[in-house]
Amino acid sequence: MSTVLGRRVAAALIVAIVAIGSAHAQVAVIVNANNPIGDVTLDELERLYSGRQTAFANGLQVALGEYKPARRLFYGKVLQMTETAVSRHWISVVFSERNATPPRGFQSPDDARRFVVANLGAICFIDLVSVSDDVKVVTIDGRDPRDPKYALR
Amino acid sequence: MNRFCASLFLLTLLLGGAVTHAAGQGDRMSLYGFFDFEVGSNDQVGGPAWTFDQHHLNVVSIYRLDDRWRVFAEVEWEHGPDFKTSGTSGAIILERAVVEYKHSDALQLKIGKFLTPFGLYNLRHDASPAFFSTSLPDAVYGAHANTLRAQQRLFAKVATGLQVLGSVLGRSWALDYYLYISNGRGSQPASADNNSNKGIGGRLAVSVLHSAVQLGASYYADRNGTAAQTRQQTVAMDATVHYADFLMEAEMFVPRLERVDLAGRPDGSFRIGRGYYVQVSHPLLERWTPFGRYGLYDPDTGAPGDAERSVVVGLNFAATGAVFFKTEVQLRSFQDPALASYRVWLGSVAVAF
């Protein structure tokens, strides 16, 4: 009896770990609910998060945010850079007088969402499972995060 | 004097902190900075043995008035300034102070004292956390003898004047441009021009997204008020290739310096030099980045046997995204057999904050 129970507990743990792992592996890009932007291209994300572009296509000034636990996946996909390379890149951007502000980092998804809710021009990436109704998830190149071909899988 | 320096430093930090924490202004004021500390030795005859150098402590303050206007200022404390003891050491420099107006990413204006946008490195000239090596590629960025045999950089590191710049963005490419006019070099370059010629310059760089290839060209010209008003022009080309973590940077430049006659006056003829370097790097295990660089500088292409070469091999370790440890060995040699080659070892820690 105890063996069967033990196997079930182990199986449940494995499922939970896989679920958590896959949840972390899927990232959503969110903006303020009042921002008319509904879609961004991967190229646009690259330009925004490299500091080269500082406004949305509609002219709204961008405030960048990042959910730190998702940095590796996001920057690997969007900038093709490691986390260390991204940090070094932003050091260069700041000291090169480029008129762009580095992303504000958040350790908690709640703080990341609050940042987006409070700033009309904010954009941030967080775990898909942490998305709530007070922010808007934007599609990337027309693809929803649940699309198998979504860029940030 | 040292009280003045300390007060200035504290004032900058406190003022920045006070403004940062002022109600409703937390997002308007940003403070950044970097610190580096170096240790080095060389086996050149008469060279220093085991030297420590508290090289930079730089504080950058950025105040955003709104989405379009901002003030950018950088104060540098270099080589542990101490003006109290007999003589002086170190330097306190207002490295940059500009007001910027951003009409859009494609059109911006700067007024004030700025680092000249020349080559791959001058805009981040002293910001050592931003580059792998302890020393910049000196073939292009180092001081070299001019036609008066005085050491100088072959373009102005800083300029005071006006600058128009911007990034024109295509779907998968970007064009960065910079154009500026300044007082040029002289005895008081930040407050007065001492000749009728303005320092002018510009830079164009084209990048291709994803492939991370960038090609650039830079130009600087002035009548150098610190070199007997000789006319000096420098053209540079650069290329960056970033592919699958592999990074290659290469620059080539051609300085054209007016000669002087026996009385030390500009004589209308020019000495043309050339310099270049190629640097490659590739991270290992993300945080360790070995790099290698080969550079050459020939002060006068019309005179044989006067070039100098440097080979640099080093390692950069990112302890965090803001703390970097570096070490490198430089091998320096000369075409002139009368000059002995020598080695330099440098180590440093660079911290961005």
Side-chain angles (χ1 to χ4, degrees), chain B residues 114-264:
Chain B
F114 46 81
L115 286 174
T116 54
F118 189 95
L120 293 175
Y121 280 100
N122 200 55
L123 278 177
R124 48 185 163 137
H125 195 108
D126 295 319
S128 54
F131 43 86
F132 293 125
S133 55
T134 296
S135 63
L136 286 178
D138 57 1
V140 175
Y141 297 94
H144 301 289
N146 60 23
T147 51
L148 289 88
R149 298 183 181 173
Q151 296 287 311
Q152 64 157 84
R153 283 193 187 88
L154 299 177
F155 57 91
K157 177 185 173 185
V158 295
T160 299
L162 312 173
Q163 184 181 166
V164 179
L165 68 155
S167 292
V168 180
L169 303 173
R171 182 166 175 77
S172 58
W173 56 269
L175 171 69
D176 296 326
Y177 71 90
Y178 306 81
L179 296 167
Y180 56 92
I181 182 169
S182 71
N183 283 335
R185 289 166 289 188
S187 55
Q188 297 172 293
S191 61
D193 199 346
N194 62 356
N195 61 43
S196 59
N197 278 42
K198 289 294 170 201
I200 58 168
R203 173 167 168 75
L204 286 173
V206 180
S207 325
V208 180
L209 295 179
H210 304 311
S211 67
V213 174
Q214 178 181 287
L215 299 174
S218 307
Y219 176 76
Y220 180 80
D222 69 3
R223 189 180 279 277
N224 191 342
T226 64
Q229 309 291 351
T230 50
R231 286 174 288 171
Q232 302 188 353
Q233 298 130 18
T234 302
V235 178
M237 308 287 287
D238 58 81
T240 305
V241 177
H242 201 167
Y243 180 74
D245 292 336
F246 171 81
L247 176 64
M248 187 205 75
E249 296 172 314
E251 292 193 69
M252 186 193 81
F253 83 133
V254 177
R256 189 168 177 265
L257 308 182
E258 190 173 16
R259 293 192 178 93
V260 292
D261 59 21
L262 292 175

Side-chain angles (χ1 to χ4, degrees), chain A residues 94-117:
Chain A
V94 168
F95 295 118
S96 299
E97 297 175 33
R98 191 175 277 275
N99 200 334
T101 304
R104 282 184 64 175
F106 301 100
Q107 203 64 50
S108 118
D110 292 339
D111 291 341
R113 278 199 314 270
R114 273 194 282 274
F115 166 72
V116 172
V117 169

